[in-house]
Amino acid sequence: MSLINLLDLLPDELESLAESLGAPRYRGRQLAGWMYHKRVTDVLAMSDLPRPFREALTQRTTVAVPDVERCTPSRDGSRKFVLRYDDGARVQSVLMPDGERLTLCVSTQVGCGFGCAFCYTGTMGLDRNLHAGEIIGQVLAAARTLPSGQRLTHIVYMGMGEPLANYGATVKSLRLLTDPRAFGFSPRRITVSTVGLVGGIEKLAQENLRVNLAISLHATDNAIRDRLMPVNRGFAIEELLAACRRFPLPFRQRMTFEYVLLEDVNDSPAAARELARLLKGIRAKINLIPFNDWPGAPFARPPLARVLAFQNALLERGITATVRWSKGEDIGAACGQLSEAVVA
Ligand code: SF4
């Protein structure tokens, strides 16, 4: 009999599990308190739970936090983790300190099937989806490495995989992160990044999760976006932006558009002007990401002057645009650089 990963269960489901094992429902709440507030994952060490309940739990369940197989520190203070699950699958998570902020970038799939041309992860192909418990297991694994008193402040779904292509697990993991009985993160401190799966964006809009949404746009012209992101052949830019306009943004929240700058591909002044025109009417901010190189990449990073000219063209048109010099570039942990052998 395969064991239930307790990290896969929402707080209500933990209560139902307690009931099914002959314990009162509130034992499920205590269990969540141990795992998420006290960060104890050994059920036998949960001292205020009755021994028979703990023993029943150990026979049927596990708390499967992935092993940190490797942790590589970067010169800029970020750290890349290679995490290994029980079946040998590996993903990467990246911890990025920035002043008071400590952001963890999590993966939602082992590999990725979307094949964006500028992304190293896309060269791996998709091995499998992660379960919700495997996604939040990355948060627990990274949190365990922090010195006492230091806490994660932000979570971004920008690691390996497309979150909305693993919709059910992504949404469940977001509920676990934001539920005060579990992690209790503010949704404003969580960002889900998507290549622009229109159906997924529309479904997410109905979930009332109030997390931030980031769209990987990367081009203003369908022919170029088709080439960079094969997903565009199914959902053209106009259709994607129409879904973004319909997305219910919480008060004062803005949608982020990610735009990787590739020399002589999408970095012209005309592209900047077109980007400003396309985003009219959307409460948007743009993250410009100068391309991060990886072995065999068919693209180059534009010179600094061209990056700044692109940014200025947006600023002049009243669009908030920041240049994101990615963290962890020296350790292959920057945006679009994540890749890892899939199984042992
Ligand atoms: S950018 Fe995201 S969706 Fe595209 S290949 Fe890379 S991981 Fe997949």
Side-chain angles (χ1 to χ4, degrees):
M1 185 177 66
S2 65
L3 298 176
I4 299 168
N5 182 3
L6 292 176
L7 300 179
D8 268 325
L9 302 185
L10 295 167
D12 287 343
E13 293 173 324
L14 288 174
E15 290 185 27
S16 300
L17 175 75
E19 204 168 41
S20 74
L21 295 175
R25 289 185 72 83
Y26 73 86
R27 295 294 185 199
R29 290 197 287 282
Q30 282 178 288
L31 191 51
W34 278 104
M35 291 193 299
Y36 297 112
H37 300 154
K38 299 182 189 154
R39 302 287 163 90
V40 171
T41 51
D42 176 4
V43 167
L44 291 175
M46 299 179 181
S47 52
D48 60 0
L49 296 180
R51 182 155 282 278
F53 179 52
R54 281 185 266 165
E55 280 165 3
L57 283 171
T58 54
Q59 280 163 21
R60 308 260 184 92
T61 69
T62 180
V63 184
V65 178
D67 291 333
V68 176
E69 192 174 80
R70 222 166 50 239
C71 172
T72 314
S74 160
R75 282 191 299 270
D76 63 22
S78 57
R79 276 183 283 159
K80 177 172 80 172
F81 299 104
V82 175
L83 301 173
R84 189 176 193 277
Y85 297 102
D86 285 348
D87 66 348
R90 297 188 184 94
V91 298
Q92 298 182 353
S93 306
V94 186
L95 197 57
M96 299 168 288
D98 186 7
E100 300 282 285
R101 284 168 87 119
L102 185 58
T103 303
L104 183 71
C105 174
V106 296
S107 296
T108 52
Q109 298 181 305
V110 183
C112 182
F114 280 83
C116 301
F118 50 82
C119 173
Y120 197 26
T121 312
T123 63
M124 291 175 63
L126 175 66
D127 185 55
R128 72 169 175 87
N129 282 330
L130 294 180
H131 301 293
E134 292 176 321
I135 298 171
I136 62 162
Q138 296 167 54
V139 179
L140 289 173
R144 277 179 177 174
T145 68
L146 301 178
S148 75
Q150 195 179 26
R151 297 186 78 83
L152 294 171
T153 62
H154 293 74
I155 311 266
V156 294
Y157 282 58
M158 294 184 184
M160 297 163 77
E162 161 57 41
L164 298 186
N166 185 13
Y167 187 84
T170 293
V171 166
K172 192 170 198 183
S173 67
L174 291 169
R175 296 208 187 285
L176 284 161
L177 287 175
T178 53
D179 192 315
R181 296 167 296 173
F183 282 95
F185 265 99
S186 161
R188 296 182 70 100
R189 291 168 178 254
I190 300 175
T191 301
V192 176
S193 176
T194 174
V195 282
L197 299 183
V198 169
I201 294 171
E202 291 188 328
K203 260 168 88 183
L204 196 66
Q206 311 298 320
E207 303 280 357
N208 195 26
L209 280 161
R210 305 175 76 80
V211 295
N212 300 298
L213 189 62
I215 307 290
S216 297
L217 190 61
H218 306 313
T220 55
D221 167 293
N222 279 313
I224 296 177
R225 197 164 189 268
D226 282 354
R227 183 155 72 86
L228 297 180
M229 306 177 75
V231 69
N232 197 64
R233 295 174 204 151
F235 306 102
I237 293 173
E238 298 71 23
E239 202 185 335
L240 167 59
L241 294 181
C244 294
R245 284 195 167 82
R246 290 192 294 270
F247 194 83
L249 278 180
F251 183 58
R252 287 208 185 134
Q253 234 158 292
R254 280 184 293 180
M255 195 172 286
T256 303
F257 288 84
E258 310 281 350
Y259 195 98
V260 63
L261 285 165
L262 308 167
E263 186 173 23
D264 295 331
V265 177
N266 63 357
D267 63 339
S268 68
R273 289 194 294 274
E274 178 62 2
L275 185 54
R277 190 191 70 77
L278 285 171
L279 298 187
K280 236 189 193 119
I282 302 179
R283 287 210 312 271
K285 58 180 175 182
I286 301 178
N287 276 341
L288 299 171
I289 308 161
F291 176 65
N292 297 304
D293 202 9
W294 42 266
F299 300 107
R301 175 181 289 190
L304 179 62
R306 200 150 160 103
V307 171
L308 297 180
F310 197 97
Q311 181 189 26
N312 281 334
L314 293 168
L315 295 175
E316 280 164 11
R317 286 164 180 78
I319 306 260
T320 307
T322 47
V323 180
R324 207 170 76 201
W325 299 102
S326 291
K327 297 221 161 236
E329 198 185 348
D330 56 322
I331 55 170
C335 288
Q337 284 187 321
L338 299 182
S339 183
E340 190 64 27
V342 172
V343 288

